Each structure stands twice: as structure tokens, then as C-alpha cells.
Amino acid sequence: MWKCFSTRASRCFSTSASNKALKWWDHVAPAPKDPITSVTEAFLADTSPTKINLGVGAYRDDEGKPVVLQCVKEAEAKIAGCDFLESVSSAVSSKLVEESVKLVYGKNSDIIKEGRFAGVQALSGTGACRLFAEFQRRFYPESQIYMTDPTWSNHHNIWRDALVPERTFHYYHPDSKGLDFSALLDDVKNAPDGSFFLLHPCAHNPTGVDPTEEQWREISYLFKVKNHFPFFDMAYQGFASGDLDRDARSIQIFVEDGNVIGCAQSFAKNMGLYGHRVGCLNVLCNDAKQAVAIKSQLQQIARAMYSSPPIHGILLVSGILSDPNMKALWVKEVKAMANRIQSLRTTLRKSLEQLSSPLNWEHITNQVGMFCFSGLTPEQVDRLLREFHIYMTLDGRMSMAGVTTGNVSYLANAIHEVTKFG
Amino acid sequence: MESLSTKEKTSKDCNGDSVFENVVRAPDVPVYAVMVAYSKDPSPVKLNLGIGVYRTEDGKPHVLNVVRRAEKLLLDDVSATKEYLPITGMAEFNKLSAQLVFGADSPAIKENRVTTVQCLAGCGSLRTGADFLAKHYHQHTVYLSQPTYGNHPNFFLAAGLTLKTYRYYDPITRGLDFQGMLDDLGSAPSGAIVLFQVCSHNPTGVDPTLHQWEQISQLVRSKGLLPFFDNAYQGIVSGSLDMDAQSVRMFVTDGGECLVAHSYSKIMGLYGERVGALSIVCKTADVASRVESQLKLVIRPMYSNPPIHGAAIVTAILKDREMFDEWTVELKAMINRIIHLRQQLLDALRDRGTPGDWSHITKQVGMYTFSGLNAEQVAFMAEEYHIYMSSDGRINMAGLSAKTVPYLADAIHSAVTRSV
């Protein structure tokens, strides 16, 4: 009966319906490749033994291998065989959120004690930003978002898909390869009062350029005067200075000044949980009652996107953060990762200087976090790829985590080759 | 600029109102509210027949043995990393999932006309499909069955599509309103999107027969409607993965196009891991490739790439013949338990002489019984018997056991016979 039917059906399937079907997708153009993930794709396809991936911001050890942190391995062993495969219970999800926001506000913060924040888990940093962008649009449909120039490429996609128009504000100074502070302040001043800003609290992506603490104070004060809303995307806490508390200092300055903030956190990099998609979104509130209202709205937005977040990563993170020994181990491992990157920054800079490069490479060690905004032009980036099988994004952003003691000389030589004539 | 030291600084200093002062509390999700009420109830005889998750005969969450096995394999695999998956997810997972849904020998798969991307369970797959359609498809009206799964409208509304319904459940027969369904689909505008459920209709438990599916597919194709299948219960109706997928496979064998949102939440008990896939069957391989590239643009700004753990478990099971077989055996056992419970409940009601025709309990299939109880009766049962179900009278059969069936029968009898 089954077979008879299919013959009948194909006779019934008229040519007009068939033509309609052909027309449906004709206009679907091939999408442009993502500028970051396409680098990894190309790298994976490359068979050269000397290839180096400085594309995606994922930590590597000194052998260029991905790392599963020891604290994560212990957490995995702990949760193995447990019963939780159901949707995240509210106890587990609350634990994750509470432990996460301690990293933002400090573990003794009044904000946490008084429940003056609305917190939800999110699908890593991307998911947290997207939830906030949707929330922003829902309650401030006419608002825009100010983003640093430049910023992580996916930020543009996120707010665009949430239908929030973007503006940029000055941030990176291509000449100094540092912060364009006065232009930044001007832009903040000139934005209409009550504007939404997207800030990187530490280890700016892609530039590695962070304001100093003093500069953050000035920015924060100006925000308070202008009544702007600062939204922090914290994807690299621990990678700027090696110290988690210190890296959240900028956020705490804003909060101390009385700014009402929002914050996206990611555990992809600092816990090495990339593929588990664990993060947190929190919005500071007037009181616990308002926190309940805002949290319910965020959960509603999430429910229409994917219903609930994947539990495995949540169990790992909450397990690590709520166990003092495991958390202490994690803190050490974060410091070790940051230190390795820091030392390779120094080595790379020294190597280029020893090659008598005509260019100034101070920014390699001035910039912080995972990335170096090298200043290489797209043509130079392209040469590095084609001649040396070295992969980075076209804007010249290098993920320093991909540099090792084994490949740093090769890298320095290659950079020197493509830049020695200026 | 005024020096900071002259400003008042306290850690509680929040001078202005929150910019979100005007945010009101969102309404509770109805079925979650039921669950909260259940969990707060101190009664030792309380019964949870609400949310759609499988339970054992002891009323406990059920982790499949084969899943435990797969998890152990993953835990012991020293070479496993936690790197980002590609935006479209794990390639092997996608391939195996497509085979599961469409059949390994499906011509559409062989001709590379199917693009399958890993998503966050059925919900994530539906939303990704909805966003894709909103961006790239000329028709922005979606027809949902009356009734349908509570969350269905949310995905399509969030994507900016317009909703309409088609008749589906007949409250008199407690079966399918087939003529109503054909009439409503027949008057849908050409190209409209129609959401179907592959099997084990949620909430009604009423599935079209194969013969009815034939007629539906002919109508869909002649009107140029675009079918979107929600495949959350493949295997849960008959215990056979192939048999339960016959409806959707009809829409592939006829050479046409469709979308399928596939979930492993129930069929592998992987609820919290959020594992699923969206497949789009296209006319040509070239179209499928372009469509896949556009799906990436939907996913990247939503969450960048999907979670690894659940997909790794599924892949380990699907690709190993022995584990696959073990899975189907466990699945069959789950289904058999539900089928027996259906019969037991029907018998219990007949034994009590409960007024009304309760034969729909065994006629309906899959996880749910659309009992026909009204909201008032449902509330009564919660109040007096501490039995919780969604207010539309949907009973999750998996929440029952041989021990608790008599209690439920008592409660139903009481609810139906009491004078209002």
C-alpha cells in the first residue's frame, strides 16, 4: 500500500506545484561566510605542516592543542551518572546564576544579598547578548545601540537580528594602536541622553585595548551624567590581567557610581567550555520585585528561542563555582592561561625587534587579553595565509592563544617578511 | 569635569530609577505553573500528569541505560575536547539524524537535497526554521492545528510571522476533525506554511491515519502549501522509528519540499541537553547548499553554535549498531508501558461505570491522552485529589503507573459525576 501510494502521489504532484516549488528558493543567495568561523574552516582544510591558526579566540596550550581544564575534568567526573537529564531545575539554574553574578559584582555585594538583579543562564556570550538585545528592543523599541569601533563582528549581527539599529563610537586609535580616549569621551557626551552602549569590560575584542582604571572612572562618571545605559559583554574575564576580580573592576566602578547596568558573561574561554554554550545575562534592578519581573521577561524571550538552556555545561560551571577547592583550582588555571599568553606576547615582540623590523611592535605587549590587533593590512594578512599558512581575520586580529614557543619564531619571521618594506 | 571625590558614593547608590522600571511581569507559562503547584503540594498521593516528560513506573525521571553507556564512553574518551562546534553543529550528528527521520535510503538524502543543522531540541529547530522562513520565504502565514503544543505560536510570532489555525480535534468524537482540517487547509492561501506533527499529536494524541495523510499530502501539494513538521515523538507511538515517520516521509517521496524540526528530548530522554535538528528538504542540491548557508546567518546571531554534549551522546548511540538496537529496545519498553496504562485506565473507568465514552483513551496514541475533562474538572482533581494536569485536560500517560491508575480513575469518576 505504501508503494502504491507514492506512485499515485507523484502523478498527482502537478507541474504547476512543481514550478511553484522551484520558484520558492531561487532568490536565496549564498550567504557570506562568517569572517571568524570561516578562518577556522579554511585552516582545517589546509594540509600544510607549518600552519598556524590565529583566528578564533579559543585557548590553546603550548603545543597548540585545545585544553580541557583540570577543574572541568573533576567536575565531569563528579556529575557523571547523576540523574539530571531533565530540563534545568530552578535550583540548579539559580545556583549557576548566583555564582556567575558573584564574579561580576563581587561575592559580598549587597546587590546579590538583596536580590537586586535579574539573572538568567544564556547560551554563552552570544546568547546572553541576544537575549539582552531582544529585551532592549521589547522595552525600548526606538532605541539604538552604540558599539565600539571596532567590535566583535558578531555584535553587529546580534543587534541587527534583534532589530535594534546600531551606531558606533570611537574606541581604537589606529596610529597609537591604543585607546582614542578623547574621541571616545566626545562621542559619549554627544550621544543623546539615555543611550544604550555596548562596552567590553576587559580584554577588548578585537583590539586588546582596555581603558585604564582612571579612564574607566571618567567614562563611568560621564555615563551617570548622561544617564546612559551601559551593557557589558564580558567574554574574557581573567584573560586581561590574570585576575578575575581585577578584570571585573570596570563594571564595579560603574555600579559604585550608581549606574544601572546589564552584563553578559561567557564561560567559553575562561572555563574552556566553548562547545557547551554556558553563559549568564544579568540586569541590575531597583529591587528584588523588579528583578522578578525582568527575569520573567527574559525567560519568555528565551522560551520562544530554544525554551531552556543545555544542562550539561550549567552543571559543570555551577559545580566548579560552588565548590571552594574547585573554584580555587579554576582561578589558578585561568591565571596560567593568561600568563602563557602574556609571555608569548613578550616573545613575539622581542623576536620582531630582534629581526630589526622597521615597525613599532609595542602594541603587542601593551594590548591585553587574547587578541593582538596587529595593524596588519588585509593584503598582508592574505600574504601570511597564502605564503606562510598563517590564519587570522582580515582585520589583522591575531588570537595570541594560537601562538606557542614552537611556532613563535616562524610567526615572527613571517610577519617580518610581509611588513619589512613598510 | 567635577571631581569624583566630591560626589556621594555609596555601594547602594542607584540615584535614578532603573531604565526598565516599566517592565511588567510576564505571564507564567501555563504548564509550568501547573508544575509549580504540583511541587508545592505536600500531599503524599499527589500525581504529576502535566509536563510532557517520560517517567518510570516509580514516577522517577528516566535516564536510558544506553544513554548512560554513551556518557561513560564520552567521559572515558581522553581525546575529547570541548571546542566550538561549527555553526551548523556536529556533522556526523546531522547526517545520522537525517537518516533517522527520512530513512537511510531516502532519495532526497542520496541526492544531497537535504540540509540538516543541529539546533537546540525541537524548540530551537522550530525557531530557526521560523526565522529562516521569515527572512527568505514569500508567504508569512503559518497554520497551526487547533489545538497545538502551547509553545508553537511563540516561535512563529517571535519570528514575525502571522498565525492562523486549522481545525484538527473534534471534541465530540475526541478524534480527528478530518473534513474540517481539509476544508481549512483547502482555503489557505497558496504557499502558506502549515505546521504538522509527525506523530503522537501534542496535546490530543490524535494522529491522522496513513490514508488520511495521503489525502492531506495531495491537498498540500496541489495548493502549493509548505509543510513544516514537528517531529518530537518519533518512535513513541508504535515503538518503530520507521513506522512513526511515515507521515513526513510521504512528503519527501512525492518529490516536494518541507521543513522538519526533530527532537531527541523525549525519544532519547535527553530533555535537558537540548538536542535536535532542523532539516530542510529542497528541490536541488544547489538550493540545499544555499539554504544551509543562510541558516548559519540565522544561528550565529542567536547563539553562535549548538551545544556539544547531547549531540555527542546521540551520535555515539546512532552510529553503533549495538547501541542503536539497545535504544530501540528501551524505547519499545517505554511505549509498551504507556500502551498498557491506556488499557488499564480505560478498564478502570469502565469498572467504575464512569459515565461517558472513554474509548478515546486507547484510540489516542503516543504520550498524551486528551481526556475531554474541562478546566473546572481539572481544577477539582487538583484540589481534591492532588492530581495535576494541564487545564485543557491533557494527561501525560507516562506520569502514571499500574499503582496510580485506580486513583486517577477514582478522581475522574468523581469529577465527572459530581453535581456542579
Side-chain angles (χ1 to χ4, degrees):
Chain A
M1 188 184 108
W2 172 235
K3 283 208 168 79
C4 287
F5 155 69
S6 55
T7 324
R8 221 173 349 132
S10 46
R11 280 206 296 271
C12 281
F13 187 50
S14 66
T15 22
S16 70
S18 156
N19 288 341
K20 267 187 208 140
L22 278 167
K23 282 204 208 78
W24 280 348
W25 309 121
D26 278 2
H27 62 289
V28 174
K33 282 179 180 272
D34 184 276
I36 297 174
T37 62
S38 55
V39 171
T40 300
E41 280 170 27
F43 170 81
L44 289 171
D46 188 328
T47 52
S48 161
T50 58
K51 65 180 181 177
I52 307 177
N53 188 2
L54 305 178
V56 71
Y59 183 77
R60 294 284 178 269
D61 64 13
D62 203 42
E63 264 134 56
K65 297 261 178 345
V67 172
V68 178
L69 297 184
Q70 185 56 33
C71 63
V72 169
K73 286 184 189 156
E74 288 178 20
E76 287 276 24
K78 251 186 165 175
I79 68 175
C82 82
D83 281 333
F84 303 102
L85 287 192
E86 303 263 307
S87 298
V88 181
S89 76
S90 63
V92 171
S93 77
S94 300
K95 182 120 77 88
L96 173 87
V97 167
E98 195 179 299
E99 294 299 332
S100 299
V101 300
K102 282 180 189 171
L103 295 172
V104 178
Y105 299 118
K107 61 179 186 282
N108 296 317
S109 163
D110 283 342
I111 292 166
I112 298 178
K113 290 189 184 130
E114 293 157 21
R116 278 189 290 121
F117 67 92
V120 293
Q121 321 92 344
L123 299 176
S124 211
T126 308
C129 286
R130 179 60 180 270
L131 284 184
F132 182 78
E134 297 276 344
F135 177 70
Q136 176 189 344
R137 158 111 171 121
R138 185 179 277 204
F139 291 98
Y140 285 89
E142 311 301 318
S143 67
Q144 301 168 102
I145 183 82
Y146 282 80
M147 298 185 181
T148 61
D149 180 14
T151 191
W152 179 45
S153 58
N154 204 24
H155 280 149
H156 304 291
N157 302 329
I158 292 168
W159 268 265
R160 180 205 61 220
D161 273 22
L163 305 178
V164 176
E166 69 163 76
R167 312 243 351 225
T168 58
F169 65 100
H170 285 90
Y171 191 83
Y172 178 73
H173 204 311
D175 295 342
S176 68
K177 296 194 177 69
L179 189 67
D180 191 351
F181 190 48
S182 56
L184 186 160
L185 289 178
D186 281 345
D187 285 349
V188 172
K189 242 180 259 162
N190 294 330
D193 285 10
S195 294
F196 286 82
F197 279 76
L198 173 62
L199 304 175
H200 304 224
C202 62
H204 185 271
N205 178 2
T207 68
V209 170
D210 287 349
T212 62
E213 187 163 326
E214 209 27 65
Q215 287 171 328
W216 275 123
R217 286 187 190 287
E218 281 198 60
I219 299 168
S220 166
Y221 179 76
L222 193 49
F223 263 63
K224 195 73 184 83
V225 164
K226 294 284 298 180
N227 211 29
H228 289 328
F229 186 93
F231 182 72
F232 291 94
D233 182 5
M234 185 152 68
Y236 296 94
Q237 185 180 11
F239 280 97
S241 68
D243 182 323
L244 293 151
D245 290 330
R246 209 168 131 199
D247 282 3
R249 190 76 198 105
S250 57
I251 300 176
Q252 286 160 17
I253 287 169
F254 273 71
V255 171
E256 282 162 17
D257 277 353
N259 286 295
V260 176
I261 70 139
C263 180
Q265 286 169 277
S266 166
F267 292 99
K269 286 86 170 156
N270 61 19
M271 246 188 226
L273 295 176
Y274 307 93
H276 286 293
R277 319 312 293 130
V278 203
C280 183
L281 166 66
N282 88 80
V283 177
L284 204 53
C285 305
N286 288 341
D287 51 43
K289 182 162 168 245
Q290 190 189 63
V292 168
I294 291 180
K295 180 171 165 168
S296 71
Q297 294 286 344
L298 294 174
Q299 286 173 323
Q300 196 186 66
I301 294 169
R303 182 156 158 86
M305 241 187 242
Y306 50 83
S307 205
S308 61
I311 191 167
H312 195 80
I314 291 173
L315 290 175
L316 291 174
V317 175
S318 71
I320 290 168
L321 293 182
S322 56
D323 178 313
N325 291 332
M326 288 174 81
K327 186 170 179 181
L329 173 57
W330 173 54
V331 167
K332 268 172 63 180
E333 292 190 271
V334 172
K335 191 143 186 44
M337 288 194 284
N339 284 349
R340 192 186 85 70
I341 291 176
Q342 185 55 40
S343 86
L344 265 308
R345 282 184 182 275
T346 307
T347 310
L348 179 61
R349 175 184 160 180
K350 282 208 177 105
S351 306
L352 284 162
E353 286 164 357
Q354 275 158 15
L355 289 166
S356 305
S357 169
L359 302 178
N360 183 336
W361 295 102
E362 282 174 9
H363 55 288
I364 296 182
T365 48
N366 287 341
Q367 292 166 2
V368 294
M370 214 179 269
F371 302 110
C372 169
F373 218 40
S374 61
L376 293 167
T377 66
E379 295 72 34
Q380 290 165 336
V381 168
D382 191 55
R383 276 192 67 194
L384 283 175
L385 194 161
R386 283 184 294 102
E387 293 171 34
F388 298 93
H389 304 274
I390 293 170
Y391 291 77
M392 67 183 72
T393 47
L394 263 187
D395 55 3
R397 182 194 83 164
M398 298 195 299
S399 171
M400 294 305 295
V403 185
T404 67
T405 49
N407 66 25
V408 65
S409 303
Y410 178 76
L411 176 60
N413 279 311
I415 293 175
H416 182 57
E417 268 307 303
V418 306
T419 57
K420 60 190 181 187
F421 299 122
Chain B
M1 197 177 299
E2 188 187 308
S3 148
L4 281 173
S5 57
T6 64
K7 258 171 78 314
E8 226 180 340
K9 264 195 305 189
T10 67
S11 64
K12 259 187 82 166
D13 197 339
C14 260
N15 297 353
D17 267 353
S18 163
V19 298
F20 297 114
E21 178 59 40
N22 54 321
V23 171
V24 296
R25 181 152 184 195
D28 282 337
V29 174
V31 73
Y32 289 2
V34 171
M35 292 308 94
V36 168
Y38 168 84
S39 63
K40 287 191 174 145
D41 187 330
S43 163
V45 296
K46 64 182 181 176
L47 259 190
N48 184 355
L49 305 177
I51 204 162
V53 296
Y54 186 81
R55 287 277 180 276
T56 63
E57 189 70 11
D58 301 317
K60 300 251 169 15
H62 179 56
V63 179
L64 276 66
N65 288 333
V66 72
V67 166
R68 288 258 183 254
R69 244 178 97 182
E71 283 214 297
K72 181 126 203 332
L73 282 176
L74 295 176
L75 187 67
D76 294 342
D77 181 4
V78 291
S79 69
T81 68
K82 295 178 177 304
E83 293 297 285
Y84 290 125
L85 287 178
I87 299 173
T88 50
M90 206 179 273
E92 200 177 3
F93 168 84
N94 291 334
K95 182 156 160 256
L96 291 165
S97 294
Q99 288 174 357
L100 190 64
V101 178
F102 302 113
D105 53 358
S106 167
I109 294 181
K110 296 205 163 107
E111 293 157 22
N112 291 317
R113 295 193 286 110
V114 183
T115 167
T116 302
V117 299
Q118 180 188 341
C119 294
L120 276 89
C123 295
S125 307
L126 286 162
R127 174 62 185 272
T128 303
D131 275 7
F132 171 79
L133 291 171
K135 259 172 133 179
H136 297 286
Y137 186 57
H138 67 281
Q139 245 286 8
H140 284 185
T141 308
V142 183
Y143 279 75
L144 304 177
S145 65
Q146 181 68 22
T148 193
Y149 162 52
N151 210 13
H152 276 153
N154 298 329
F155 307 122
F156 298 103
L157 288 173
L161 300 170
T162 313
L163 297 180
K164 283 198 134 80
T165 57
Y166 59 92
R167 277 168 285 171
Y168 190 81
Y169 180 71
D170 183 344
I172 317 272
T173 63
R174 296 191 181 138
L176 186 65
D177 179 0
F178 189 47
Q179 196 49 55
M181 182 179 182
L182 292 178
D183 287 346
D184 287 348
L185 294 183
S187 54
S190 172
I193 304 155
V194 183
L195 188 68
F196 295 111
Q197 296 187 37
V198 170
C199 64
S200 178
H201 186 270
N202 178 5
T204 68
V206 169
D207 287 348
T209 62
L210 274 186
H211 181 62
Q212 287 171 328
W213 273 120
E214 283 176 27
Q215 293 171 259
I216 294 166
S217 76
Q218 283 164 25
L219 177 60
V220 162
R221 293 313 187 193
S222 69
K223 297 258 351 177
L225 305 175
L226 180 62
F228 194 158
F229 281 92
D230 184 359
N231 187 24
Y233 298 96
Q234 185 183 356
I236 297 235
V237 169
S238 67
S240 159
L241 295 153
D242 287 324
M243 262 196 70
D244 283 2
Q246 285 182 91
S247 59
V248 61
R249 290 182 188 180
M250 266 186 214
F251 288 77
V252 177
T253 328
D254 68 7
E257 299 182 313
C258 64
L259 292 87
V260 187
H262 179 55
S263 170
Y264 290 95
S265 295
K266 283 81 171 172
I267 69 176
M268 251 189 220
L270 292 173
Y271 308 93
E273 301 293 344
R274 319 308 294 131
V275 208
L278 171 70
S279 290
I280 304 188
V281 181
C282 308
K283 283 294 275 179
T284 67
D286 178 60
V287 169
S289 162
R290 284 185 272 130
V291 164
E292 183 166 304
S293 73
Q294 291 291 345
L295 287 173
K296 286 185 190 175
L297 294 196
V298 167
I299 292 168
R300 175 78 166 139
M302 222 191 274
Y303 52 84
S304 278
N305 41 73
I308 48 175
H309 194 73
I313 294 172
V314 171
T315 305
I317 293 170
L318 292 184
K319 75 179 187 189
D320 179 296
R321 187 74 241 176
E322 207 215 311
M323 287 177 84
F324 183 93
D325 289 345
E326 189 181 339
W327 172 45
T328 56
V329 166
E330 285 193 79
L331 196 57
K332 196 110 187 55
M334 286 159 65
I335 296 359
N336 285 343
R337 194 176 87 73
I338 291 178
I339 290 173
H340 285 140
L341 288 168
R342 286 184 179 278
Q343 191 59 53
Q344 285 167 33
L345 181 58
L346 177 59
D347 291 344
L349 289 169
R350 285 187 173 151
D351 286 347
R352 284 159 181 68
T354 308
D357 178 3
W358 297 97
S359 58
H360 56 284
I361 293 177
T362 48
K363 287 188 194 145
Q364 291 167 2
V365 294
M367 210 134 99
Y368 308 108
T369 291
F370 216 39
S371 60
L373 296 163
N374 60 40
E376 198 267 326
Q377 290 165 332
V378 168
F380 166 80
M381 286 169 63
E383 177 85 30
E384 297 298 320
Y385 286 82
H386 310 278
I387 293 175
Y388 294 82
M389 66 185 72
S390 38
S391 60
D392 57 5
R394 182 193 82 169
I395 295 174
N396 174 17
M397 297 305 289
L400 285 170
S401 66
K403 272 207 305 270
T404 55
V405 159
Y407 184 60
L408 175 61
D410 287 342
I412 293 176
H413 185 87
S414 201
V416 165
T417 55
R418 68 195 266 268
S419 47
V420 178

